[in-house]
Amino acid sequence: MENLAFIIRVLLFKGILGPFVKIVLGVKFRYDERPCFDQPKIIVANHNSHVDAIAILCSLSIKDLKRVHPVVARDYFYRNSFTKLFAKLCLNSVSVSRSRQFENPLKQCESLLESGHSLIIFPEGTRGNANEMKDFKQGVSILLKKFPNVEFVPAFCEGFGEILPKGQWLVLPSNSFLKIGKSKKVDRSREVSDITNYIRKSILELRY
């Protein structure tokens, strides 16, 4: 089943969504450096649209599609059998709860990092309006403080809110790009709030 899911993921992101995102939607991909995921990393990006995660997954190599997991909201993506199947089979996602019903909502994320896998996290926690960045939640900072050898990869999504705005399903081409920055480490001695501010600053720097 795992091999079948990987084949489906490769066909989807390399054969269908990749060309669609680049040719039809006109998304441009820019890199300060192409990250290597032989060691666990956390891609951290702003969030305006579902296109954000799709574009990041399209930017990965085929082998990385097996070991990089978007972190999604359990209450949204696991709300029914269809969306849950899509999130797990196609996105290779891991879910977290936005409520306080779990003692450690980051437990699955920690397990993946411990096993050498990587994550995609949107610290805003939900999609914002186009060209607006919400305050960051601290989950990714907590993970980086706990795993000091795990680097984060800042990524900036520009224009995706116009392609697929929150609450709408009409996809329109837009002048948009995904910028991937250089991998960075954080100082685990710093406060979680300081790490969060550093991550936010690293993402915003890619905008210019």
Side-chain angles (χ1 to χ4, degrees), residues 100-107:
R100 297 184 179 275
Q101 68 184 98
F102 294 92
E103 181 179 350
N104 180 9
L106 298 174
K107 184 176 181 180

Side-chain angles (χ1 to χ4, degrees), residues 146-159:
K146 184 170 183 177
F147 296 91
N149 292 323
V150 172
E151 298 178 334
F152 77 93
V153 181
F156 186 77
C157 304
E158 175 69 40

Side-chain angles (χ1 to χ4, degrees), residues 153-169:
V153 181
F156 186 77
C157 304
E158 175 69 40
F160 294 167
E162 282 82 18
I163 292 176
L164 183 61
K166 184 176 181 179
Q168 298 185 29
W169 292 101

Side-chain angles (χ1 to χ4, degrees), residues 25 52 82 89-90 95 97 106-107 114 117 134 136 144 147 154 157 172 174 176-177 183 205-206:
L25 298 184
D52 302 341
F82 175 77
L89 183 67
C90 298
S95 68
S97 173
L106 298 174
K107 184 176 181 180
E114 288 169 351
H117 287 231
K134 294 179 177 292
F136 280 15
L144 290 169
F147 296 91
C157 304
L172 297 171
S174 175
S176 56
F177 67 84
S183 301
E205 286 174 348
L206 297 174

Side-chain angles (χ1 to χ4, degrees), residues 56-72:
I56 292 172
L57 287 167
C58 288
S59 75
L60 301 178
S61 69
I62 289 177
K63 69 173 184 176
D64 293 332
L65 286 172
K66 181 176 284 188
R67 301 175 62 82
V68 179
H69 308 264
V71 177
V72 303

